[in-house]
Amino acid sequence: YAKPWRYRRCIFEGAKLIHFCSVGLVDSPSKKAHKKALEIAKEKGLIISFDVNLRINLYPSIKDCTNTVLRFMKYPNIVKLTDEELYVILGAKTTEQGVKILFNAYSNIDIVFITLGDGGAICFDRDGNSIKVEAKKIDPIDTTGAGDMFCACYINYVLNNGLKIRINNHID
């Protein structure tokens, strides 16, 4: 595991974005290294992306897992969750309710992506706008890495276009 004191500010020179997920946030040196890297990234003004990617079995309990994820929500500008993760972490009854909770609790979050499996995905911005994109119907062979590919696509977009995403639908 990376050791926090090995992070030098110079490793972020020229960087625009840092991306992380909750797998590295289990109690270990990796968690401390993530915290230090995210603090430096925030200090340097990098865009921070968080793919929640819950792996509850890596934590002592569901509560420990959700508390850890919520403690790290103070860093990202962009958060990607599945609809199920949103309900587990925030206890929300609906996607819209969960997204409102995130935006109200964390002023640093600008964009929230909710993936819905074969139902597609919804993108929400802080201004109350959203857009849903339906998934194409396919017969998947293996879905391993689908969330990672989703993140890679939005990261590419943000690196080329910034944090403003054109969204046409407004939610209340």
Side-chain angles (χ1 to χ4, degrees):
Y1 288 107
K3 296 182 179 175
W5 59 87
R6 291 198 176 163
Y7 278 108
R8 306 259 186 319
R9 282 161 174 66
C10 64
I11 68 169
F12 293 95
E13 293 304 320
K16 296 179 182 176
L17 184 144
I18 186 171
H19 177 76
F20 72 106
C21 73
S22 68
V23 173
L25 304 180
V26 295
D27 279 329
S28 68
S30 176
K31 182 178 183 177
K32 292 176 183 145
H34 272 73
K35 186 174 185 291
K36 183 66 174 173
L38 292 166
E39 288 168 355
I40 294 170
K42 196 165 191 87
E43 173 187 306
K44 291 195 162 282
L46 272 63
I47 296 169
I48 302 174
S49 169
F50 184 16
D51 176 5
V52 172
N53 197 16
L54 281 187
R55 297 293 182 260
I56 294 170
N57 60 320
L58 297 176
Y59 292 84
S61 68
I62 292 174
K63 185 175 181 172
D64 185 57
C65 179
T66 57
N67 286 342
T68 298
V69 166
L70 291 173
R71 277 194 301 277
F72 276 80
M73 283 291 177
K74 68 182 179 181
Y75 297 105
N77 307 97
I78 305 168
V79 177
K80 181 260 181 199
L81 311 99
T82 67
D83 52 344
E84 292 171 5
E85 290 169 339
L86 187 71
Y87 307 143
V88 168
I89 293 168
L90 299 172
K93 303 274 189 259
T94 67
T95 301
E96 289 77 9
Q97 179 191 31
V99 170
K100 284 180 186 178
I101 291 169
L102 279 177
F103 283 134
N104 288 334
Y106 303 96
S107 62
N108 52 288
I109 298 174
D110 298 306
I111 299 170
V112 175
F113 289 100
I114 306 295
T115 55
L116 308 167
D118 63 4
I122 309 172
C123 176
F124 298 88
D125 71 12
R126 176 163 286 288
D127 296 329
N129 301 303
S130 69
I131 187 166
K132 181 176 183 184
V133 178
E134 298 292 331
K136 292 187 181 225
K137 300 299 175 202
I138 61 166
D139 292 321
I141 295 169
D142 187 351
T143 60
T144 303
D148 297 325
M149 184 57 67
F150 183 90
C151 291
C153 290
Y154 79 68
I155 287 170
N156 181 63
Y157 179 89
V158 167
L159 287 173
N160 288 299
N161 300 286
L163 283 171
K164 278 293 180 196
I165 296 178
R166 282 193 210 121
I167 298 177
N168 301 324
N169 304 324
H170 188 79
I171 59 166
D172 295 320

